[in-house]
Amino acid sequence: MDFGRLPVGPGDRVLDLGCGGGRHAFEVLRRGADVVAFDQDAEELEKVAGMIAAMDKAGEIPVGATGETLVGDALAMPFEDGRFDRVIAAEVLEHIPDDVTAIAEIVRVLKPGGRLAVTVPSFLPERVCWALDEDYHTAPGGHVRIYTLAELAAKLKSAGLEVGGHHYAHGLHTPYWWLKCAVGVNNDDHPLAKAYHDLLVWDIMERPLVTRLAEAVLNPVIGKSVVLYARKPA
């Protein structure tokens, strides 16, 4: 997601819903906001809490910013109405059978005038993955639907949100997942899949110009994720 489109700063209360490894929560902290990293995976949250503690020890968290982790269910979040200024829901809704209730919960905990960024796998790359390997979407906890941009926007609007702009991301990741599905999504030892994975890790760590340019070209065509921004009316 683009923090230029979802401004976050000191004094903001942010929910990272389905935070996973916590990368968005960590960036929120670096920007001086308060964040709750929320997920149903307690083991993953232990790692997130450890990273937050390490960031604090290293002086990477501005004075006044706070980070906490909380285990819970996206369909019944333990927060009062209007608790958060910002909500991030990255690669979450495609895992939840009752996504309408999850969206309603997001709207409930978002304060009037608050903003949301939601990302889901984009239609074409996801459809190809489903076609190549059944295990990709039938594993427990896996993806239960393929969104079109129009469907996602319609569900957000039906929940009372004002939908803004969108963009695509992770174009370099799409060929990797197509390759993974072609050789077997659980076949982590395949040499081509391993080599491409190493390339992606190198890109994340080094962010060289050549891959930044390649991703800028690929994103509008085969971006793995679509990112949509919305606002709760004041």
Side-chain angles (χ1 to χ4, degrees):
M1 53 164 289
D2 179 1
F3 280 96
R5 300 196 192 199
L6 189 80
V8 169
D12 287 330
R13 294 175 296 180
V14 183
L15 173 65
D16 187 0
L17 174 62
C19 66
R23 63 192 180 99
H24 290 117
F26 304 148
E27 182 60 26
V28 168
L29 278 174
R30 293 188 185 99
R31 292 170 180 266
D34 303 323
V35 66
V36 176
F38 187 84
D39 203 286
Q40 65 179 4
D41 189 332
E43 291 185 8
E44 195 74 41
L45 284 178
E46 287 183 11
K47 300 174 186 176
V48 174
M51 183 62 179
I52 290 174
M55 289 173 62
D56 188 32
K57 186 176 181 180
E60 296 181 21
I61 301 177
V63 174
T66 62
E68 63 176 296
T69 59
L70 186 64
V71 178
D73 184 352
L75 301 182
M77 291 190 279
F79 307 116
E80 67 271 20
D81 296 356
R83 166 79 178 275
F84 296 100
D85 301 283
R86 305 283 187 267
V87 175
I88 299 167
E91 309 298 295
V92 174
L93 293 178
E94 70 275 11
H95 295 274
I96 302 175
D98 188 1
D99 61 337
V100 171
T101 296
I103 292 170
E105 273 290 273
I106 290 172
V107 175
R108 183 185 66 78
V109 303
L110 189 62
K111 79 173 189 180
R115 296 181 180 275
L116 162 72
V118 56
T119 89
V120 297
S122 51
F123 179 83
L124 175 60
E126 187 75 349
R127 187 68 190 88
V128 173
C129 286
W130 281 45
L132 287 172
D133 189 353
E134 186 176 357
D135 288 341
Y136 173 83
H137 65 94
T138 58
H143 299 179
V144 298
R145 72 178 58 79
I146 303 176
Y147 284 100
T148 64
L149 177 60
E151 178 190 356
L152 179 59
K155 286 183 174 179
L156 295 178
K157 290 177 181 177
S158 294
L161 294 168
E162 298 171 348
V163 174
H166 71 277
H167 61 87
Y168 294 88
H170 303 313
L172 283 176
H173 291 237
T174 294
Y176 168 72
W177 281 104
W178 287 348
L179 175 60
K180 282 276 288 180
C181 290
V183 302
V185 72
N186 297 313
N187 184 6
D188 295 329
D189 293 326
H190 192 281
L192 289 179
K194 289 178 67 175
Y196 204 130
H197 181 268
D198 290 344
L199 170 67
L200 293 177
V201 172
W202 172 74
D203 172 55
I204 291 169
M205 298 300 294
E206 301 296 333
R207 299 187 64 81
L209 178 61
V210 62
T211 56
R212 295 303 88 215
L213 292 174
E215 188 142 274
V217 172
L218 291 173
N219 280 345
V221 183
I222 56 169
K224 185 68 170 68
S225 298
V226 59
V227 189
L228 195 152
Y229 302 87
R231 175 181 177 272
K232 183 175 179 177

